[in-house]
Each structure stands twice: as structure tokens, then as C-alpha cells.
Amino acid sequence: MSEFDICVLGGGPGGYAAALYAASAGLKVAIVEKDTFGGTCLNRGCIPAKGLLQAAEVYRNVQHADGFGFRLPKGETTVDWPAVNKRKSGVVNQLVKGLEGLIKKRKIEMVRGFGTMNADGKIVVDDRVIDAEHVIIVSGSVPKWFPGMEPGPRVITSDQATNSTWETLPKSIAVIGGGVIGVEFASVFVDLGVDTTLLEYLPNPVLPIGADQEVAAHVAKSLKKRGLKAIGGAKVGRLTDNGSSVTVPYEVKGKEQTLEVEQVLVAVGRRPLSEDQGFAEAGVQLDDRGFIEVDTATMRTTRDKVYAVGDVVNTPGLAHVAYAEAIVAVRHILGEDPVPVDYGKVPWIVYAHPEIAWSGMTEEQAKEAGIDYEVRKHPWPGNGRSMIVGETEGMIKILARPNDGPIIGFHLCGPWASELMNGGYYAVNWEATPSEVAHLIHAHPSLSEIIGETMITFSGRSLHG
């Protein structure tokens, strides 16, 4: 008999989810982590980034308090950046402490150190070989950059941006990359008064991949209105750190240009962390980009009794996807019949201002696939609660098969899109029809009313729209 039923390699969302779920099912579990439990999401990514976005929202609301009847002294509201980071770090530390407490409560053995895999498919930490029947690899990912963009004192990745030691915010910053990470940080910086330029290689500079482009355009319009300089089709060259500034050369349509800023944030994506850990040597197949290859129905790798989940797998790099994959892996180990993750319908959220969230197909994807569909849209200004909140930018957009067929795409941009989209996620995954959702009651006044009213319009009738 092995000492453990499962050894989990990595303490990020997929790792601690696998460990906690397995322990709750009565399995004996060890979890290996070289750094702080919680991984990138809790310590350097999702949680601290959203903490900064919340701070930016508070600051933005203070600047517009006069619209609600509050008179504040002009020019006296300043950003105390160390205090912002202290609050953010307090949230992170509390969550890490709670997570470690829960792991101990479930009697999961926490092994500190850098884990590698030996030829027998066992995890090794220092001189200890962890004897486990099954292994779940959750080694995660790290920020990537291109040659000439290496991190330094004035060139940072998202990891450093969420753990900044700056005493004050930079006066100017260039964000390279218009994906989810780049757009969220651009939203933070521009709202806190930093002169912010976003440089994106693809023609559409804001969320060019993944999001429905009509809906993403609302985020772009709002950011530009608030002062963001967003430049699409920008091929960025080698950065030069001048000591007190950074020179950023870029080319747009064959024209060479330069930008001088105090800081540069490189947000061109993340890469799997799979090198130097013995996976390939142990018979775990990796693709040419370093992702571990798995059977997504079970999350099994090419090595017997070895599974992989999370960012180290070529699936959507989202913490909640890692949670779901962890459950699939553990249920398969338990001999159950897990329901695989439907990656085409997972919920996506960008926590910029305004927020954007979606599940299912975009209109671009539906057209490319040659799928017949109907589309209905609804703007926020007709919603009473959005006017009360003071957030009327954005829209809802729903795609469904013709003649009251199943809903295939749900897209929302505006206030609390991150929370509202769950109803749309259920509708897409349960293949609900617009009429089935339309007859359900949405409370008044509420932001969620926009969902029900848009569903009604598929019938050719409407209320306020």
C-alpha cells in the first residue's frame, strides 16, 4: 500500500482544489508547493489584481461624487499607493492563512519545496520520494515575454505589478498586450491618473481575441474616453532602460515610432511551467509549447496514474477551469464517471471598467462556423438600476438558434457583468431557449432585468426596449 492515495504537485487553484476535494472524499493526500499556497491566482494574479481594480473603482467613484450630490474639495483626493497595496496584501494574506488552515483541517500533508518527477512517476522533494498511488500535476504558469522585453527595474510583468514596492505610482506607463491581463491593468492605471498607453500587435487593441468584438468595443470606448491611448497593429521592438525612463520603439503600418515612459508592463500572456521537472523523462508527453497533453475527459496524461490540470494544460487559463478540471481528475481516480469540462462554454470575465463577461460563442465564431443564429441586444441606459448606480456604459448581446432555438452565446458588458453572467452561463450550458428564460421573473429594480427583457425580444415583442 502507498503512503498516499494522491500527491498533488502545486498549491495553486487547481492543486488545492484537487487536494481539498480528494480529502473530503476520504482519500489520503499530500500537496507539494515551493512557494506560498494559493499559487499565482491568490498571491500574484486574480485576487491582488482585483484588489487593485477595486481600489481604482473607489477612486473613480470619489472623482464623480458630485454627481450624487456630494461636494468634495477640488484636487485634494490623492492616491496613497503604499496604502492601496497594504489593503490588497491584507486580503491576500487573510485568504492564504484561511486556505492553509483548511488544508490542515482536512489532514492533508503540506510538503514545502520544489517537486520533480522521477523515472517511476513519483514526486521527489529534496531527498524525499513521496509514495503516492496517483499524481496530479498542477505546476501552473509564469508570465512570458519576447526578446528585448526582459523584466528589469522599469520593465515588469503582471507578477511584479500586483506586488509593487513603488512609493508612488509612475507618471506614465506603457502596457504591452491588449488581452485580459493588459486591459485590466490599463484600466487600473488610467483610473488612478497614470498616463497610460496600450500597445497591441493585433489591429483591435482592446481584447482582440476571445471576446465578442462588438461588446469589447464598449470597453475600448470607455477606456479611451477616460484617457487611455490604445494603439492596435503595433509591433514593439527592443526596450531601452534609460535609468529614469524606458524607450519603447514600435511600428504601425510600416511607420517607426517611439514612446518614452517611466514604466513598462509586459502583458503578452503566460507560458506553462513544465521544464526541469522530469515530466517528459517520466513518460508524460508535452507538446511543442510545453503544455502537458491530457485526455480532457479524465485529465489523464500519457503516463499511467498521472494526471494534470490547470495552466500547465492547454485549456483556458482560468482558476475556475482549474477547479473544475481538478474535480474531473479526482472523480476519475475514485472510479466515478466525471462530466468533462465543456471548454467552449466556460465563463470568461474581464474585470476592467466596464466589466465584460461571456459564455458560449461570439458572433464572429458563429459566422466562421457557418451556424444560423439570431441576435438580440439591449443597452444599459434603459435599465433603472443601472441609472441609479450611475453605470450605463455597455450592453447585453445574446445569440440563439433561429425559431426559439437554444441560446449559444451570452455576452455582457457593464455594471457587475461578472456576477450577472452566471444566469447566462446556465442558459448556454443547459441549452435553454429565449422563451424559457423570458418567462422567468427578474426582480425590479435590478440589473438582471436586462437579461429577461432581452430574452423577450426574441419573440418580436418587448417591454422597455
Side-chain angles (χ1 to χ4, degrees), residues 212-236:
D212 185 279
Q213 291 302 286
E214 181 181 15
V215 183
H218 284 269
V219 181
K221 181 179 179 182
S222 178
L223 286 168
K224 291 175 182 177
K225 186 169 66 176
R226 299 195 326 265
L228 177 70
K229 294 180 282 292
I231 302 171
K235 183 178 180 181
V236 179

Side-chain angles (χ1 to χ4, degrees), residues 301-365:
T301 71
T302 52
R303 167 115 196 181
D304 186 39
K305 298 187 178 182
V306 176
Y307 297 72
V309 305
D311 286 4
V312 77
V313 175
N314 191 16
T315 56
L318 303 167
H320 45 277
V321 169
Y323 289 156
E325 291 174 340
I327 292 172
V328 169
V330 173
R331 289 193 62 192
H332 189 263
I333 290 170
L334 288 165
E336 299 174 357
D337 187 19
V339 177
V341 177
D342 187 342
Y343 295 106
K345 297 177 181 177
V346 301
W348 289 82
I349 303 168
V350 183
Y351 293 85
H353 177 74
E355 290 184 347
I356 181 170
W358 69 91
S359 175
M361 303 187 81
T362 66
E363 189 163 9
E364 291 81 15
Q365 290 169 337

